Amino acid sequence: ALIDSLRYKSWHIDYIILSAVRENSAEALGRIGDELAVPALIESLEEDPDEEVRLKSAWALGEIGAPGAVDALIIALEDNDWGVRRAAANALGVIGDQRAVPYLIKVLKDGDWQVRKYAAVSLGKMKDEKAIPILLEAMDDDDADVRWKAMLALGKMGEIAVKPLIKTLKNKNWRVRAKSAEVIGKIGGNDALK
C-alpha cells in the first residue's frame, strides 16, 4: 500500500494534496526500514517533481541503509533543491559506502551551508583519509556550523588527522588554529605532544 501510494502518476499534478501523501509514504517506508521499498524510493528520488517527496525519499533510503541506493543518492547531490542535496549527503553518511567519498568532498563546496554541514558529518563517519584536506579547508568556512562539523569530522578520523592538523597551527586565521588545537587535543596520541 505505501509503495503504491509513493509512486507519482501524471494526474497527481491536478491534486496538490497528493504530494503530501507521497511525502508521508516515503517517510513511513523509511521508518519501517524494509529493503523491499528501496526500488520505489529510488524511483521517487529520481523522478518525483515534488522536492519534499524527493527529500523524504533520500532520508528513507538512508534510514533503510540501502547500499543499492548509493548511486541514486550520489546523483541527488546535484538536485536543484538544497534540502534534497542535504538529505542525500546525510543518507550517504548513514549508509557509509566509500564510493560516495569523492562526491561528498565535492559537495563540501556547495553553495548552501546546510549541505556543506551534512557533507562534513558524513565524511567524518566514513573516516577516509582523502577527506582530510577539504575538511581542513572547511574549518575556515564562512558558516560556524560547517566549521564545527568539519572539526568534529576530523576528530572522528583519529590519529591519521593529527599531522595535517598540526600544519594548520600555523594558519593565518586564528579560528582555524584554535579549532585545530582543540581537535588535536581531543584526538591525543604521541604526535599531538611533539
Side-chain angles (χ1 to χ4, degrees):
L2 287 171
I3 289 174
D4 191 48
S5 66
L6 174 66
R7 289 203 167 95
Y8 175 76
K9 293 152 186 89
S10 59
W11 59 268
H12 287 180
I13 199 86
D14 295 330
Y15 303 95
I16 192 75
I17 193 69
L18 292 177
S19 64
V21 173
R22 295 191 314 276
E23 181 184 332
N24 290 339
S25 295
E27 184 174 356
L29 288 167
R31 292 193 191 289
I32 292 169
D34 194 304
E35 293 254 351
L36 287 174
V38 171
L41 288 164
I42 290 172
E43 180 183 328
S44 176
L45 176 62
E46 293 175 338
E47 298 177 13
D48 200 290
D50 186 278
E51 64 274 355
E52 290 298 317
V53 177
R54 294 193 312 273
L55 183 155
K56 291 291 177 130
S57 295
W59 172 84
L61 289 165
E63 287 298 298
I64 293 170
V70 170
D71 291 336
L73 288 165
I74 287 171
I75 291 168
L77 291 173
E78 296 182 7
D79 195 277
N80 289 332
D81 183 77
W82 68 267
V84 176
R85 295 193 310 273
R86 180 199 69 209
N90 189 54
L92 287 165
V94 172
I95 294 169
D97 190 310
Q98 296 294 311
R99 292 178 296 158
V101 169
Y103 301 96
L104 289 166
I105 287 171
K106 182 180 173 188
V107 171
L108 211 47
K109 298 282 189 183
D110 192 275
D112 187 272
W113 68 270
Q114 291 189 47
V115 178
R116 295 192 309 272
K117 176 174 94 168
Y118 281 95
V121 169
S122 292
L123 287 167
K125 289 177 183 176
M126 293 184 185
K127 299 180 182 178
D128 191 309
E129 210 169 329
K130 292 183 293 256
I132 292 174
I134 193 76
L135 288 168
L136 290 170
E137 280 181 40
M139 286 178 58
D140 196 23
D141 194 275
D142 291 337
D143 184 81
D145 273 351
V146 176
R147 292 192 302 267
W148 175 246
K149 296 301 182 184
M151 182 187 86
L152 292 176
L154 287 162
K156 286 182 181 181
M157 292 196 179
E159 291 193 34
I160 62 169
V162 171
K163 285 184 181 179
L165 280 165
I166 288 171
K167 291 177 186 171
T168 64
L169 291 173
K170 295 179 182 171
N171 190 294
K172 292 178 183 178
N173 186 328
W174 68 269
R175 282 190 316 220
V176 173
R177 292 193 312 269
K179 295 275 185 210
S180 295
E182 186 177 344
V183 176
I184 293 167
K186 288 180 184 209
I187 296 171
N190 289 335
D191 288 335
L193 297 173
K194 298 176 187 175

